[in-house]
């Protein structure tokens, strides 16, 4: 069946997909590979905010207690934080501040999470914690300006519904939220504070109790946040993990859940930020590195903006150490990029989205058609991705009739196509064919970078009465981007391709210009 794409737009394309992206812990941003990766991402995709753990953990060194004259005192040191935020702003991205984890010398216990041991216990001194929050925000305002910091959302903690991230239960989180949100607003009433940053799997009662607490205590809250993942229980292997996957629609269901769960409360009307999402919540699941992953997530990027004000891919880079230092270039890391900036297929899904137009002409289960203000038409299409592990669909076909130029236009359109699939733009496949080298040398790294680039093609199609027919046949797990531009033919009247080699009829006017 051929789909007749309308000429008039049906909506504007949401950019909720690029509002924020995730990162490894805050102090990893001091590394060269990290900054090189982020620079590439910003050049080719361009996220607005970046969010990660560990702003207040020991690795950034902000909280510095000392004793003087028999008294405990605290210095707030911003040596690392300033370098990191400076680097972010230089690259055109602003922080989405997550307040956590607990500095070890302020913590009430020794429970930690991750290889790098982020402390997950409440503060032993709430006043000192509030001073820390105020001190950080006042410093950021002094350095970067109030107008700028007001644009940076401030999230209270990370996944407090999981014992692995918050040791003290929901009531203690409510108290932390009260102390923290109050401290934020004491610095400036227009700073954006929110939470509760819930991990998937929580019961509706958790977020409703949080809403009741905030409303009863009349606490400040400017946005609601949660996370979304679609994977099942972990099946561990050495240096990796496997998991079953739910359909990608499960992610969209999670995006939309808070509005339903908070119906009737004032929190239901607040902006909703999905501050982490991915398929697997493991940083060592090989699914993240595959062509399947790009096709699987395509409908999420296309439709997620209907449900949330932002949804933040976790993460932009494999410079990430929650379960330890990666041991191979393709180890199942969350990143759009591996170490040393090898692009994964999902990276290209994001670059393709960055090239879509503002006006939505059509959306379907396997495509998105948009138009730019200058008249270019762009098509994002993807093959069905079966999360049950069934055989990938080969030869999925999409037939479109697209509006090009004015309703009366005739002539042709230039079609530019880029694709990633099992066989194109898939550096992991090349790495496997190399024998899965743990530390590729320069020659093999160059080959992996080359293999990571999308397949490219181009051709012209006829335009009749302002419409062009496009037939797309998609390879296994393919995601493809088409751009159609009306052709203005500037070929000189005397030119003939038949005479390219100087053969054929004479008679060309040599003086013609």
């Amino acid at each position: 069946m051929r789909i007749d794409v309308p000429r008039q737009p049906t909506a504007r394309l949401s950019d909720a997909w690029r509002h924020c992206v995730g990162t490894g812990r805050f102090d990893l941003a001091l590394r060269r590979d990290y900054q090189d990766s982020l620079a590439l991402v910003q050049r080719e995709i361009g996220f607005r905010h970046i969010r990660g753990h560990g702003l207040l953990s020991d690795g950034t060194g902000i909280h510095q207690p000392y004793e003087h004259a028999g008294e405990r005192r605290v210095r707030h040191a911003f040596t690392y934080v300033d370098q990191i935020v400076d680097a972010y702003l230089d690259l055109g991205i602003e922080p989405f501040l997550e307040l956590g984890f607990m500095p070890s010398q302020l913590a009430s216990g020794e429970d930690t999470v991750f290889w790098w041991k982020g402390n997950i216990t409440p503060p032993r001194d709430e006043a000192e914690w509030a001073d820390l929050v105020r001190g950080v925000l006042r410093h950021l305002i002094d350095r970067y300006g109030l107008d700028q910091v007001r644009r940076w959302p401030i999230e209270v903690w990370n996944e407090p519904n999981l014992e692995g991230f918050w040791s003290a239960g929901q009531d203690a989180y409510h108290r932390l939220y009260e102390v923290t949100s109050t401290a934020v607003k004491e610095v400036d009433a227009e700073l954006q504070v929110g939470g509760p940053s819930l991990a998937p799997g929580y019961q509706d009662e958790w977020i409703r109790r949080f809403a009741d607490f905030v409303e009863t205590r009349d606490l400040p809250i400017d946005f609601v946040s949660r996370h979304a993942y679609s994977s099942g229980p972990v099946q561990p292997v050495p240096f990796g993990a496997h998991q079953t996957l739910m359909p990608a629609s499960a992610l969209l269901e999670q995006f939309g859940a808070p509005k339903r769960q908070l119906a009737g409360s004032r929190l239901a009307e607040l902006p909703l930020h999905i501050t982490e999402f991915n398929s697997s919540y493991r940083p060592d699941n090989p699914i993240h590195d595959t062509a399947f992953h790009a096709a699987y997530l395509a409908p999420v990027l296309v439709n997620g903006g209907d449900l949330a004000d932002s949804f933040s891919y976790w993460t932009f880079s494999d410079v990430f150490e929650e379960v330890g230092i990666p041991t191979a270039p393709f180890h199942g890391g969350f990143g759009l990029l591996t170490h040393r900036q090898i692009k994964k297929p999902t990276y290209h899904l994001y670059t393709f989205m960055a090239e879509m137009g503002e006006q939505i002409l059509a959306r379907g289960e396997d495509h998105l058609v948009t138009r730019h203000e200058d008249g270019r038409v762009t098509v994002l299409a993807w093959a069905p991705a079966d999360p049950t592990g069934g055989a990938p669909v080969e030869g999925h076909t999409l037939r479109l009739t697209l509006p090009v130029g004015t309703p009366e236009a005739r002539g042709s359109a230039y079609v530019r196509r880029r694709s990633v699939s099992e066989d194109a733009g898939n550096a992991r496949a090349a790495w496997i064919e190399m024998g899965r080298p743990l530390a590729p040398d320069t020659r093999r790294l160059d080959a992996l970078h080359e293999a990571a680039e999308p397949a490219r093609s181009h051709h012209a199609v006829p335009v009749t009465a302002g419409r062009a027919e496009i037939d797309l046949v998609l390879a296994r797990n393919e995601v493809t981007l088409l751009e159609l531009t009306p052709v203005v033919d500037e070929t000189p009247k005397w030119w003939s391709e038949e005479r390219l080699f100087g053969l054929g009829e004479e008679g060309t006017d040599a003086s013609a210009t």
Side-chain angles (χ1 to χ4, degrees):
M1 183 183 73
R2 186 171 295 281
I3 299 170
D4 209 26
V5 174
R7 181 172 294 277
Q8 293 303 315
T10 59
R12 293 192 72 81
L13 182 61
S14 167
D15 62 356
W17 61 272
R18 77 190 320 167
H19 185 268
C20 187
V21 71
T23 174
R25 70 178 187 275
F26 206 69
D27 53 302
L28 290 175
L30 298 168
R31 297 186 184 177
R32 175 182 173 182
D33 193 24
Y34 179 107
Q35 293 192 18
D36 288 347
S37 296
L38 187 56
L40 176 60
V41 165
Q42 288 302 97
R43 281 196 306 273
E44 298 192 349
I45 300 172
F47 293 101
R48 287 202 195 88
H49 294 279
I50 187 166
R51 172 195 174 272
H53 310 317
L55 170 62
L56 304 179
S57 295
D58 290 353
T60 59
I62 297 175
H63 184 259
Q64 300 278 351
Y66 64 98
E67 294 233 354
H68 179 68
E71 293 183 2
R72 175 186 168 88
R73 304 184 185 189
V74 178
R75 169 179 286 182
H76 296 150
F78 300 103
T79 305
Y80 281 0
V81 170
D82 290 349
Q83 293 179 53
I84 294 164
V85 176
D86 287 355
Y88 285 163
L89 298 182
D90 286 347
L91 294 170
I93 195 166
E94 299 180 340
F96 191 122
L97 298 170
E98 177 202 299
L99 298 181
F101 293 117
M102 195 61 58
S104 61
Q105 295 189 72
L106 180 53
S108 59
E110 298 182 355
D111 295 334
T112 62
V113 66
F114 303 143
W115 172 81
W116 50 271
K117 299 190 182 304
N119 190 286
I120 58 170
T121 67
R124 67 166 181 257
D125 185 328
E126 290 180 351
E128 190 171 310
W129 168 260
D131 284 343
L132 174 61
V133 171
R134 287 188 293 263
V136 169
L137 295 176
R138 284 172 178 154
H139 171 79
L140 293 174
I141 290 168
D142 288 345
R143 186 173 179 86
Y144 303 106
L146 180 58
D147 289 344
Q148 179 144 227
V149 179
R150 281 175 174 171
R151 297 199 300 264
W152 304 353
I154 303 164
E155 190 175 34
V156 180
W157 212 256
N158 175 75
E159 298 188 352
N161 57 315
L162 297 183
E163 290 183 3
F165 285 103
W166 177 248
S167 66
Q170 185 170 2
D171 290 341
Y173 175 73
H174 288 173
R175 179 59 185 164
L176 181 79
Y177 184 85
E178 179 171 16
V179 171
T180 307
S181 62
T182 301
V184 169
K185 295 296 187 176
E186 286 172 353
V187 174
D188 180 76
E190 294 186 40
L191 293 176
Q192 305 172 56
V193 67
S197 185
L198 297 180
Y202 64 86
Q203 299 298 314
D204 291 2
E205 182 61 21
W206 211 108
I207 197 168
R208 288 173 180 159
R209 279 194 64 211
F210 173 74
D212 288 345
F213 178 79
V214 169
E215 291 187 315
T216 300
R217 302 284 290 179
D218 194 25
L219 297 177
I221 187 165
D222 300 295
F223 64 87
V224 173
S225 63
R226 69 155 289 170
H227 299 165
Y229 293 94
S230 55
S231 52
V234 175
Q235 305 163 32
V237 294
F239 302 103
H242 299 287
Q243 296 168 281
T244 57
L245 286 180
M246 295 179 278
S249 59
L251 289 169
L252 296 173
E253 291 168 5
Q254 292 175 52
F255 288 9
K259 295 291 187 184
R260 172 181 57 80
Q261 294 159 338
L262 295 170
S265 76
R266 69 179 175 93
L267 275 64
E269 306 306 316
L270 296 176
L272 171 62
H273 295 302
I274 309 301
T275 50
E276 292 180 22
F277 91 94
N278 207 316
S279 56
S280 169
Y281 55 82
R282 291 284 302 198
D284 52 2
N285 186 328
I287 203 72
H288 296 133
D289 301 338
T290 63
F292 165 89
H293 202 245
Y296 175 79
L297 290 182
V300 178
L301 266 65
V302 167
N303 297 297
D306 296 341
L307 301 167
D309 294 273
S310 75
F311 46 104
S312 179
Y313 188 79
W314 189 254
T315 59
F316 84 90
S317 168
D318 280 352
V319 181
F320 191 91
E321 296 175 351
E322 287 186 357
V323 296
I325 298 169
T327 61
F330 290 95
H331 58 275
F334 289 123
L336 298 170
L337 297 169
T338 72
H339 282 251
R340 298 177 182 264
Q341 298 85 55
I342 301 169
K343 300 170 182 177
K344 302 182 188 180
T346 305
Y347 177 91
H348 294 297
L349 169 63
Y350 270 85
T351 64
F352 293 171
M353 282 293 293
E355 296 197 39
M356 298 301 287
E358 301 85 2
Q359 304 168 7
I360 296 178
L361 301 182
R363 269 194 292 189
E365 63 182 11
D366 57 1
H367 67 277
L368 168 69
V369 182
T370 66
R371 184 169 57 214
H372 292 259
E373 296 293 342
D374 63 8
R376 286 176 295 134
V377 174
T378 42
V379 179
L380 180 71
W382 55 92
D386 182 0
T388 66
V393 175
E394 183 77 66
H396 178 75
T397 302
L398 176 64
R399 295 183 172 90
L400 302 169
T401 302
L402 299 169
V404 179
T406 65
E408 301 80 24
R410 300 182 63 84
S412 64
Y414 176 72
V415 182
R416 178 186 179 209
R417 181 173 179 177
R418 281 161 287 171
S419 300
V420 295
S421 66
E422 293 295 328
D423 301 316
N426 187 351
R428 179 178 181 268
W431 177 71
I432 291 170
E433 291 160 358
M434 289 177 180
R436 290 182 166 89
L438 297 181
D441 58 21
T442 300
R443 179 179 57 82
R444 287 185 288 184
L445 280 173
D446 288 345
L448 291 172
H449 280 107
E450 182 179 86
E453 290 304 308
R456 293 171 167 86
S457 63
H458 55 87
H459 64 283
V461 294
V463 175
T464 304
R467 303 195 74 81
E469 291 188 353
I470 293 289
D471 291 349
L472 290 174
V473 179
L474 303 181
R476 294 175 299 151
N477 292 322
E478 180 174 350
V479 179
T480 194
L481 174 70
L482 264 72
E483 180 185 85
L484 283 78
T485 306
V487 171
V488 177
D489 194 346
E490 299 181 36
T491 305
K493 293 180 181 180
W494 65 85
W495 185 256
S496 171
E497 286 294 310
E498 295 176 1
R499 300 194 64 239
L500 184 64
F501 298 106
L503 305 175
E505 294 292 328
E506 298 280 347
T508 300
D509 184 356
S511 65
T513 60

